[in-house]
């Protein structure tokens, strides 16, 4: 899947206001400081597509970007900042739960985690959601340039072991936007998801 175009469509805080229609979409979610925006910009080859918030963790916006005029990349709100008020955390959890449960066109979830501190509490909650929604989950261990190759493999192995009890559909890749580590592998997974959704649509017809 070569990404030829990517454009902003809409930001909102309610699932009911998300784009209508049946275009497939893939959602990106992660802690507010793990490089999710850099990842999106790298995948789409659009350096300023996903803007970094001046105050990380304080946005509840669901951002839709139309890619190649045929699918949506959805940038979900970051999480995990202690400074966020409790009522905002509850709003975030409701928005995310509604999104994952109500978006029938959602084809996969991309979860970003800092390779140095993977599988924190909110990460595990997202993984639980992906399993409950029967969604494939691509886990990108960001900032992989902080470690050498052997250490990256070690962490990937540890995460795989920790997730083996869940029984979900996970793919785990070490990723660095800075050093372009894992970019081709991540695009390949998205391409596979996109192909599978098209196959399912054709079978339904």
């Amino acid at each position: 899947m070569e990404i030829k175009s990517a454009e902003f469509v809409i930001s909102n805080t309610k699932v009911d206001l998300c784009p209508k229609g049946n275009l497939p979409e893939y959602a990106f979610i992660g802690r507010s400081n793990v490089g999710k925006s850099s990842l999106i910009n790298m995948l789409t080859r659009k350096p300023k597509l996903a803007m970094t918030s001046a105050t990380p963790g304080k946005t509840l916006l669901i951002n839709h970007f139309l890619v190649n005029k045929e699918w949506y990349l959805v940038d979900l709100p970051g999480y995990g900042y202690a400074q966020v008020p409790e009522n905002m955390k509850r709003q975030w959890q409701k928005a995310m739960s509604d999104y994952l449960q109500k978006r029938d066109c959602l084809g996969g979830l991309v979860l970003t985690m800092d390779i140095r501190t993977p599988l924190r509490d909110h990460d595990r909650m997202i993984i639980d959601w992906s399993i409950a929604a029967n969604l494939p989950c691509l886990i990108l261990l960001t900032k992989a340039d902080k470690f050498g190759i052997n250490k990256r493999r070690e962490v990937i192995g540890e995460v795989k072991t920790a997730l083996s009890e869940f029984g979900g559909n996970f793919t785990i890749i070490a990723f660095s936007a800075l050093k372009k580590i894992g970019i081709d592998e991540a695009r390949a997974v998205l391409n596979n998801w996109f192909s599978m959704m098209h196959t399912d649509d054709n079978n339904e017809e």
Side-chain angles (χ1 to χ4, degrees):
M1 175 180 57
E2 181 182 356
I3 295 179
K4 299 178 180 178
S5 66
E7 58 190 89
F8 170 77
V9 176
I10 190 172
S11 292
N12 63 79
T13 59
K14 296 181 179 180
V15 176
D16 293 341
L17 298 178
C18 289
K20 308 300 182 184
N22 59 357
L23 288 181
E25 57 190 46
Y26 310 112
F28 288 63
I29 191 168
R31 291 178 65 87
S32 301
N33 59 343
V34 298
K36 177 163 60 72
S37 295
S38 297
L39 158 66
I40 291 172
N41 294 340
M42 177 65 68
L43 283 173
T44 59
R45 298 184 178 91
K46 296 280 187 179
K48 296 182 180 180
L49 185 68
M51 301 298 290
T52 302
S53 172
T55 309
K58 291 201 173 182
T59 177
L60 288 173
L61 296 177
I62 300 171
N63 302 294
H64 274 75
F65 302 95
L66 181 60
V67 179
N68 291 350
K69 306 290 186 182
E70 55 185 356
W71 60 274
Y72 287 110
L73 186 160
V74 185
D75 184 12
L76 297 176
Y79 57 82
Y81 262 63
Q83 300 97 316
V84 176
E86 192 61 35
N87 67 324
M88 187 171 286
K89 292 180 183 178
R90 288 195 296 269
Q91 291 177 46
W92 175 86
Q93 290 181 354
K94 184 180 186 307
M96 294 305 93
S97 180
D98 287 348
Y99 175 83
L100 292 172
Q101 292 177 19
K102 295 180 179 180
R103 293 300 283 179
D104 293 336
C105 52
L106 182 60
L109 196 62
V110 179
L111 173 59
T112 56
M113 299 188 291
D114 191 319
I115 195 170
R116 298 167 296 182
T117 55
L119 294 177
R120 300 179 77 170
D121 289 345
H122 277 89
D123 300 326
R124 291 180 180 273
M125 181 174 67
I126 298 302
I127 288 169
D128 287 341
W129 276 344
S130 74
I131 295 172
N134 195 29
L135 287 171
C137 183
L138 169 59
I139 296 176
L140 296 182
L141 301 176
T142 63
K143 304 185 181 180
D145 54 281
K146 303 294 184 181
F147 289 154
I149 294 177
N150 290 337
K151 182 62 175 178
R152 288 178 217 152
R153 290 173 178 167
E154 179 183 333
V155 176
I156 289 174
E158 291 172 353
V159 173
K160 284 182 178 179
T161 299
L163 293 181
S164 61
E165 62 186 270
F166 287 86
N169 182 3
F170 304 110
T171 303
I172 305 166
I173 297 172
F175 187 92
S176 169
L178 180 64
K179 299 294 186 181
K180 298 184 179 179
I181 298 169
I183 184 72
D184 290 337
E185 293 91 337
R187 285 187 178 130
V189 172
L190 289 174
N191 184 52
N192 184 52
W193 288 355
F194 188 63
S195 298
M196 289 177 64
M197 289 192 77
H198 268 293
T199 300
D200 291 340
D201 290 342
N202 291 333
N203 288 338
E204 290 176 2
E205 293 174 1

